[in-house]
């Protein structure tokens, strides 16, 4: 009987270690990305998952219109935004060119 318990304990320890090293940090990253995408607003300087840099010109529930350096406006899914590099409240952002 104690031989069965002795083989189960290492498996349980491996699962606990796996949870704290892989699963939990991934869940934290997903929550942080989801919060960032929820908090997006007009004027934020962003980078998309494809590497496009620009400013948010307008945003709705599912899509964001990104203004690029040459003045062109591109529509992306909100989920395609990887990071905010500068908040709209950080300094003046010139969206009229």
């Amino acid at each position: 009987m104690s031989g069965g318990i002795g083989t189960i304990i290492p498996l349980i320890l491996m699962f606990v270690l796996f949870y704290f090293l892989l699963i939990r940090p991934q869940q934290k990253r997903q929550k942080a990305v989801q919060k960032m995408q929820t908090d997006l607003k007009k004027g934020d300087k962003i980078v998309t998952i494809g590497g496009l840099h620009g400013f948010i010109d307008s945003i709705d529930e599912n899509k964001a219109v990104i203004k690029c350096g040459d003045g062109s406006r591109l529509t992306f899914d909100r989920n395609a935004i990887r990071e905010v590099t500068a908040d709209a409240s950080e300094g003046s952002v010139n969206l009229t060119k």
Side-chain angles (χ1 to χ4, degrees):
M1 197 70 170
S2 65
I5 293 175
T7 59
I8 292 176
I9 291 176
L11 291 174
I12 292 172
L13 289 174
M14 285 178 57
F15 178 75
V16 169
L17 187 66
F18 184 74
Y19 175 78
F20 281 106
L21 291 178
L22 297 174
I23 297 172
R24 193 163 173 242
Q26 180 64 26
Q27 288 174 339
K28 283 185 177 183
R29 276 192 295 273
Q30 284 176 337
K31 283 183 183 180
V33 167
Q34 190 173 34
K35 181 176 178 3
M36 178 271 305
Q37 289 175 347
T38 302
D39 294 343
L40 290 171
K41 58 190 168 299
K42 183 176 178 175
D44 285 348
K45 185 175 181 183
I46 57 94
V47 179
T48 66
I49 57 176
L52 178 91
H53 293 250
F55 295 95
I56 295 181
D57 191 46
S58 67
I59 193 160
D60 66 14
E61 200 172 299
N62 297 319
K63 295 181 182 174
V65 176
I66 311 300
K67 186 172 182 179
C68 303
D70 64 353
S72 62
R73 289 175 172 80
L74 303 169
T75 303
F76 284 87
D77 284 343
R78 202 176 185 135
N79 295 335
I81 298 173
R82 181 180 69 197
E83 66 178 302
V84 175
T85 57
D87 203 351
S89 61
E90 293 178 8
S92 62
V93 176
N94 186 7
L95 292 176
T96 57
K97 260 195 174 179

